[in-house]
């Protein structure tokens, strides 16, 4: 019997075979929809580092809403976010007051649509109200915004004002914003966005290893491929509970086993052996380093990378004075790089005078490349 198709999905935004460890978020959202207007989980803020599963979480919540016959509008923050939302939500975009649409265009082409900034909140609100009317009783409207950290303060303000009115009016609407963890402090510091303080905040952290193990076992054995407990433990531990790494490890060990079996003439039947896991995990680590860490490191200056390398000597959060000392620099000088790295969301400051990596496995990557002067 030939080896089955690889079920793992190590690709940004693509649904994994099993969404591991996020049941509580889905449950809260489901209850939010079922409990009706005023339920706190109808306004949600999902945060997590790159590769933690924010985008697939939005997809999952969208599917939950659709299964309840809600309409779902998914947007990603970038210039023109609010106008794009309006154009997509309004049942008749061409009739929006204050909008400029090139007359030659049939329908609405997104680039042609613009609203006077001051009118954005009320126009967005009108668009939602009109859309809800076309949906009819019992059907609501879910709006999801991905990469919220890239939204302009102007757009976010308009969306927040409109959302706040809709929620206050007990309209059947829900909003889910997803973005990098830095978003929370950025947003909450902006006075005008105080309303987002009331959002239900879901931090997508590492997935418990027990859940990872079970999901790997179910996915692999469920597809008719054998794996022994030792190999399973090895694979589980290598993921560190980091969602993107779960897919990378699953994908690599599967591919490794399939290739081996095609060369050894299926001597072991359809099975992932311990050696396959060892080799697969190596490949997954390399892939993670190249795909996630290398691009981050490449865009940093030499001294900023030195700052990171000084941090990587610790197994957990570093003290910023230790880092400065290791760089043989003054605190003031080191703080310039500390601030740059914070601004770029490469590190976080978990407490006063402490810094830690914001990107999973960056520490391991820096350690593994420490000896290589070309990086
Ligand atoms: N709960 C989960 N269980 C298993 N795999 C997951 C889970 N969440 C996400 N993944 C996988 O992890 C990878 C990254 O997911 P996703 O693109 O949603 O992350 P993200 O947080 O949106 O990242 P980015 O910040 O780069 O946009 C994908 O391969 C996805 O299939
Ligand atoms: Mg994403």
């Amino acid at each position: 019997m030939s080896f089955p198709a690889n079920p793992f999905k190590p690709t940004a935004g693509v649904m994994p075979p099993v969404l591991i460890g996020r049941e509580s978020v889905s449950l809260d959202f489901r209850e939010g929809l079922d409990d009706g207007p005023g339920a706190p989980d109808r306004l949600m803020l999902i945060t997590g580092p790159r590769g933690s599963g924010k985008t697939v979480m939005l997809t999952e919540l969208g599917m939950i809403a659709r299964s309840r016959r809600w309409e779902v509008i998914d947007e990603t923050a970038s210039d023109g976010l609010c106008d794009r939302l309006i154009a997509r939500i309004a049942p008749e975009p061409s009739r929006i007051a204050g909008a400029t649409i090139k007359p030659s265009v049939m329908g609405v082409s997104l680039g042609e649509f613009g609203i006077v900034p001051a009118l954005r909140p009320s126009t967005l609100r009108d668009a939602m109200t009109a859309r809800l009317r076309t949906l009819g009783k019992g059907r609501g409207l879910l709006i999801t915004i991905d990469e919220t950290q890239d939204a302009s303060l102007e757009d976010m303000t308009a969306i927040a004002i409109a959302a706040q009115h809709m929620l206050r009016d007990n309209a059947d609407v829900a909003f889910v914003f997803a973005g990098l963890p830095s978003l929370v402090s950025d947003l909450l510091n902006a006075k005008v966005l105080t309303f987002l303080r009331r959002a239900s905040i879901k931090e997508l952290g590492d997935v418990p290893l027990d859940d990872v193990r079970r999901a790997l076992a179910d996915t692999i054995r469920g597809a008719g491929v054998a794996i022994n407990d030792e190999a399973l433990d090895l694979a589980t531990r290598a993921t560190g509970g980091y969602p993107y790494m779960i897919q990378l490890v699953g994908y690599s060990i599967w591919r490794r086993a399939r290739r081996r079996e095609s060369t050894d003439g299926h001597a072991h039947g359809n099975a992932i052996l311990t050696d396959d896991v060892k080799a697969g995990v190596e490949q997954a680590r390399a892939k993670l380093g190249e795909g996630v860490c290398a691009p981050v490191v490449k865009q940093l200056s030499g001294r900023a990378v030195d700052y990171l390398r000084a941090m990587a000597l610790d197994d957990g959060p570093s003290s910023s004075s230790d880092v400065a000392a290791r760089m043989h620099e003054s605190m003031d000088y080191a703080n310039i790089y500390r601030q740059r790295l914070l601004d770029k969301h490469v590190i976080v400051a978990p407490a006063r005078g402490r810094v830690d990596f914001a990107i999973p496995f960056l520490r391991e990557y820096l350690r593994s490349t420490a000896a290589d002067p070309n990086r």
Side-chain angles (χ1 to χ4, degrees), residues 21-357:
R22 307 293 189 223
E23 294 81 5
S24 67
V25 181
S26 302
L27 186 65
D28 287 352
F29 184 72
R30 215 172 272 133
E31 282 179 1
L33 295 189
D34 293 346
D35 288 347
D41 286 293
R42 284 184 171 212
L43 174 61
M44 219 182 241
L45 187 52
I46 295 175
T47 69
R50 293 258 167 237
S52 59
K54 299 177 294 296
T55 301
V56 299
M57 203 66 234
L58 291 180
T59 306
E60 174 73 9
L61 301 184
M63 290 188 326
I64 290 172
R66 284 194 183 94
S67 76
R68 281 162 172 66
R69 299 185 59 246
W70 277 46
E71 194 121 294
V72 183
I73 307 259
D74 295 307
E75 265 298 340
T76 301
S78 64
D79 284 349
L81 169 66
C82 192
D83 289 355
R84 268 197 318 279
L85 273 178
I86 293 169
R88 292 189 55 197
I89 295 169
E92 292 179 90
S94 57
R95 293 182 54 187
I96 293 170
T100 46
I101 305 170
K102 287 222 174 113
S104 60
V105 184
M106 294 281 289
V108 178
S109 129
L110 300 178
E112 319 283 349
F113 191 86
I115 306 269
V116 183
L119 291 179
R120 277 189 191 128
S122 60
T123 311
L124 179 56
R125 193 173 149 199
D126 291 347
M128 287 190 274
T129 307
R131 184 60 166 258
L132 283 171
R133 221 176 286 128
T134 68
L135 291 179
K137 216 178 152 42
R139 299 189 60 198
L141 180 64
L142 166 66
I143 293 171
T144 79
I145 311 284
D146 204 358
E147 306 282 353
T148 307
Q149 75 283 344
D150 291 340
S152 70
L153 188 58
E154 229 184 2
D155 274 334
M156 275 311 288
T157 306
I159 294 167
I161 293 172
Q164 187 167 23
H165 275 117
M166 297 300 287
L167 292 167
R168 195 191 287 153
D169 292 348
N170 286 331
D172 251 324
V173 288
F175 302 86
V176 185
F177 298 90
L180 297 173
S182 55
L183 160 82
V184 178
S185 47
D186 291 356
L187 277 184
L188 298 189
N189 287 338
K191 225 185 185 165
V192 71
L193 294 170
T194 43
F195 116 101
L196 269 181
R197 261 181 238 237
R198 285 195 280 119
S200 164
I201 299 182
K202 311 290 182 196
E203 286 175 40
L204 302 187
D206 290 345
V207 175
L209 289 185
D210 285 349
D211 293 345
V212 174
R213 191 180 194 282
R214 203 173 317 116
L216 285 177
D218 289 352
T219 306
I220 294 168
R221 293 175 182 153
V225 171
I227 183 165
N228 66 42
D229 286 345
E230 185 199 16
L232 195 56
D233 285 338
L234 212 58
T236 302
R237 254 178 284 129
T239 68
Y242 174 42
Y244 179 45
M245 189 62 172
I246 296 170
Q247 300 308 311
L248 274 178
V249 166
Y251 186 86
S252 316
I253 65 176
W254 187 284
R255 188 171 61 177
R256 200 64 202 194
R258 181 164 57 187
R259 291 190 179 170
R260 175 190 44 73
E261 297 221 337
S262 76
T263 51
D264 71 11
H266 283 263
H268 302 270
N270 285 344
I272 296 176
L273 308 178
T274 305
D275 279 347
D276 299 328
V277 173
K278 285 182 182 154
V281 162
E282 278 312 306
Q283 285 175 342
R285 287 213 180 101
K287 186 99 197 246
L288 185 76
E290 286 316 308
V292 178
C293 301
V296 171
V297 170
K298 211 161 272 168
Q299 49 144 357
L300 298 171
S301 71
R303 283 314 257 167
V305 177
D306 290 344
Y307 193 100
L308 295 178
R309 290 202 190 284
M311 284 175 62
L313 298 178
D314 296 310
D315 291 327
S318 309
S319 114
S320 21
S321 55
D322 285 354
V323 173
R326 289 171 192 163
M327 290 175 77
H328 306 291
E329 298 291 358
S330 68
M331 276 293 274
D332 282 349
Y333 181 88
N335 271 338
I336 298 172
Y337 293 97
R338 176 179 174 276
Q339 193 55 48
R340 276 186 203 162
L341 291 165
L342 283 171
D343 291 344
K344 291 194 161 160
H345 311 308
V346 177
I347 63 172
V348 290
R352 229 184 124 77
R354 321 264 320 153
V355 282
D356 200 1
F357 290 100

